[in-house]
Amino acid sequence: MSSSRRVVLRKAEALRSLWAHTYGKRTTALNGGLDVSARRASSAASGKVCVVGGGPAGFYTAQHLVKACQDVQVDIYEQLPVPFGLVRFGVAPDHPEVKNVISTFTQTARHPRCSFYGNVNVGKDVSVEELKEAYHAVVLSYGAEGNRSMGVPGEDLDGVYPAKDFVGWYNGLPSNRALNPGLNCETAVILGQGNVALDVARILLSPVDMLKKTDITQRSLDALAESKVRRVLIVGRRGPLQIACTIKELREMVNLPDTKSEMVASEFEGIAEALKEVQRPRKRLTELLLKTALEALGEKERQRRASRSWGLRFFRSPVEILPDTDHASRVASIRLAVNRLEGKGDGALAVTTGEVETVDCGLVISSIGYKSLPIDPTVPFDPHKAIVPNTLGRVKQAAGLYCSGWLKTGPTGVIATTMNNSFDTAHSVIEDINSGHLDVSTAKPGSQGVCPLLDKRGVKPVTFSDWEKINKEETRRGEAEGKPREKLLDVEEMLQVART
């Protein structure tokens, strides 16, 4: 062997050693915190685990459990006959790339040690205590079904909707299928400046021809085609440096065809100077925001020709939603308090100045956050934080009970955040099995104990193969309209298709 060859080999070996030393712990973390020996030990354990909720948190929890524990059987129970939760009902229809994760969830559902049971309402059809009797561990991953209240007069008027319901309407959530939002007004106000708020604004202002190619429901598409909404204001209680959306969502608004942006110059005073102290992700977002604001104040051709507009309004909080003088049950305007900030950065607090202003509008959508709801009186629940109290996913004072997803942390982050959150909970379950803290030595019946209970109560679960029949029918209907799918909106129709 030549000396040059030996030098190359020594360098390669040195690089391998350096890589192992530097990234070994990271590799362990990416494998769910399990090193090889731990994974071998976990494969020797056996147990039955129940996951309540068939959304991203539930599927990610199940995925990690079946991959890391070779003898664990995981059963997923979902209230609706269809799986995937917010990936199906929350992700915007014009974001199909985000829904690609469904292929991963499908692989998990088809795993020989994973089963899906839809159309099972835990807390009603079967109690959490009954699940604990049938399984060694129960993981609650049912998400955040509730809406945070604005707590202002007039929020119950016609034309005022939680963003969750509005999103559910255009995404085909059965409980929102009867929603008939009034789109016969010129101006809509959205309260909140997160990604969901911008999704709603974008759907309201997007050309219908763009939406026709998505999986938006035909009923919603027809309503949007007749919409008279031409202006959308997206209102936040703090300033440009605290806006909660991501740069991707903002860029999509900026690039939306036939629209112009409306900004208030005074709300951006001092922002350019403050950027020097802002970290890179926030800096890039604020730079785009500042650029958009400057263009909005200019006289570019696009600004003159656009038929629709959107604007961000900062330093505003809702005080009251006012009714129409002729139709007392319907919204006509919203009164906003003008705020100032105390403090800097993400920790800055909005404080009212005493000034108020009124904005005429016929549609108000509140996008101030979701919240989890208690599922069963036996499960600990913190009503203030709207979460199940837990330590690393282990429910406090409830052995064998775990939680993942938004129920664990509150409604925060994106799907990748939920993935890591759920993997961490699954790792806690695995740790407890391996340590003996979770006793799996005694056999438990799992679904064989639960299904007879459901049968006695007249509940017929929908299996994953049943769901695939629904999926096939939705795809068939969508293809006829040039769309990826046309979602079934009625639970009874879903069940009928599943059982054919």
Side-chain angles (χ1 to χ4, degrees):
M1 182 184 297
S2 68
S3 59
S4 60
R5 174 69 172 162
R6 282 194 294 271
V7 169
V8 169
L9 288 175
R10 281 199 299 270
K11 286 183 176 179
E13 183 60 34
L15 283 171
R16 279 195 292 270
S17 298
L18 178 62
W19 188 95
H21 176 75
T22 305
Y23 296 106
K25 291 183 179 179
R26 186 177 299 178
T27 304
T28 299
L30 289 172
N31 285 322
L34 293 173
D35 61 21
V36 175
S37 61
R39 292 183 68 160
R40 285 173 181 157
S42 71
S43 68
S46 62
K48 289 188 169 63
V49 179
C50 160
V51 174
V52 179
F59 270 96
Y60 277 128
T61 302
Q63 173 189 326
H64 194 69
L65 285 169
V66 295
K67 282 188 175 182
C69 272
Q70 293 183 7
D71 294 322
V72 164
Q73 170 70 41
V74 181
D75 295 333
I76 302 172
Y77 291 90
E78 164 59 40
Q79 180 178 345
L80 289 170
V82 295
F84 312 135
L86 279 183
V87 175
R88 177 181 169 99
F89 297 118
V91 173
D94 57 349
H95 284 175
E97 72 285 354
V98 181
K99 301 183 185 187
N100 289 339
V101 71
I102 284 177
S103 63
T104 302
F105 295 163
T106 298
Q107 291 175 17
T108 298
R110 289 174 177 167
H111 193 283
R113 286 184 286 105
C114 183
S115 298
F116 174 81
Y117 298 97
N119 194 43
V120 178
N121 190 342
V122 174
K124 180 181 176 183
D125 299 332
V126 60
S127 70
V128 172
E129 283 302 308
E130 286 171 327
L131 292 178
K132 289 174 72 175
E133 287 293 318
Y135 293 88
H136 296 102
V138 175
V139 185
L140 302 175
S141 309
Y142 59 83
E145 290 187 283
N147 297 301
R148 285 183 59 193
S149 170
M150 289 183 282
V152 301
E155 67 177 310
D156 57 346
L157 289 172
D158 292 341
V160 182
Y161 305 97
K164 180 180 177 296
D165 294 353
F166 193 81
V167 170
W169 168 69
Y170 64 66
N171 270 336
L173 185 63
S175 59
N176 298 131
R177 69 190 180 99
L179 200 73
N180 186 25
L183 303 179
N184 57 347
C185 60
E186 181 179 340
T187 300
V189 170
I190 301 173
L191 299 169
Q193 295 179 328
N195 282 348
V196 174
L198 269 67
D199 280 345
V200 170
R202 194 177 64 255
I203 295 299
L204 282 171
L205 295 176
S206 286
V208 171
D209 286 345
M210 285 177 59
L211 297 176
K212 281 180 179 177
K213 300 172 185 178
T214 73
D215 66 356
I216 192 170
T217 66
Q218 190 61 44
R219 185 179 300 183
S220 304
L221 192 62
D222 292 342
L224 289 164
E226 299 297 320
S227 171
K228 292 183 172 60
V229 175
R230 294 294 178 268
R231 179 174 180 247
V232 177
L233 297 180
I234 309 163
V235 178
R237 59 191 172 87
R238 299 194 292 172
L241 287 171
Q242 290 80 32
I243 192 170
C245 67
T246 60
I247 192 169
K248 176 181 181 292
E249 300 281 341
L250 179 60
R251 190 178 288 118
E252 286 176 328
M253 288 301 301
V254 171
N255 295 330
L256 199 60
D258 193 30
T259 63
K260 61 182 178 180
S261 54
E262 294 180 19
M263 304 290 181
V264 177
S266 61
E267 295 180 350
F268 290 87
E269 290 178 1
I271 297 300
E273 184 66 23
L275 274 176
K276 298 174 183 178
E277 301 178 10
V278 176
Q279 291 186 350
R280 190 170 185 271
R282 169 69 66 180
K283 185 175 183 179
R284 290 178 62 238
L285 172 62
T286 311
E287 284 172 342
L288 176 59
L289 195 56
L290 193 56
K291 179 184 176 186
T292 304
L294 291 172
E295 289 179 355
L297 299 170
E299 287 295 324
K300 286 200 168 184
E301 181 68 16
R302 179 179 170 180
Q303 292 287 110
R304 290 195 298 269
R305 296 182 62 180
S307 66
R308 303 182 182 193
S309 67
W310 62 276
L312 292 162
R313 290 292 180 273
F314 298 100
F315 310 109
R316 303 290 187 272
S317 297
V319 174
E320 184 178 8
I321 300 171
L322 303 169
D324 192 303
T325 53
D326 296 326
H327 302 89
S329 63
R330 180 150 195 89
V331 59
S333 60
I334 183 169
R335 185 167 292 150
L336 303 169
V338 180
N339 302 329
R340 61 179 175 82
L341 292 188
E342 288 187 354
K344 293 182 179 181
D346 291 339
L349 298 176
V351 179
T352 59
T353 63
E355 296 179 56
V356 295
E357 62 183 32
T358 301
V359 178
D360 292 338
C361 59
L363 178 65
V364 175
I365 298 174
S366 171
S367 184
I368 59 174
Y370 301 169
K371 68 175 183 179
S372 296
L373 302 172
I375 194 174
D376 190 294
T378 64
V379 177
F381 191 80
D382 183 333
H384 178 67
K385 295 181 179 179
I387 63 170
V388 169
N390 69 92
T391 303
L392 298 177
R394 299 176 178 92
V395 177
K396 293 181 179 180
Q397 299 178 335
L401 195 59
Y402 302 80
C403 60
S404 67
W406 284 357
L407 185 64
K408 172 183 174 183
T409 62
T412 183
V414 293
I415 289 178
T417 315
T418 298
M419 178 186 72
N420 291 324
N421 163 330
S422 304
F423 283 1
D424 288 344
T425 293
H427 183 53
S428 291
V429 175
I430 294 165
E431 275 189 338
D432 291 350
I433 290 174
N434 290 336
S435 69
H437 182 72
L438 194 62
D439 183 9
V440 296
S441 61
T442 303
K444 294 260 189 171
S447 60
Q448 292 182 359
V450 174
C451 287
L453 290 176
L454 296 173
D455 188 54
K456 287 179 184 178
R457 295 163 188 172
V459 178
K460 295 183 178 180
V462 171
T463 65
F464 200 77
S465 59
D466 292 335
W467 144 249
E468 289 179 322
K469 295 177 186 176
I470 298 172
N471 181 47
K472 184 177 180 181
E473 176 62 16
E474 289 184 341
T475 303
R476 185 191 68 78
R477 295 187 186 188
E479 287 175 351
E481 301 294 333
K483 301 167 64 177
R485 73 174 59 243
E486 184 60 46
K487 295 173 186 172
L488 302 184
L489 306 181
D490 181 69
V491 169
E492 288 304 317
E493 187 178 9
M494 291 177 184
L495 295 176
Q496 184 178 355
V497 171
R499 289 162 187 161
T500 54

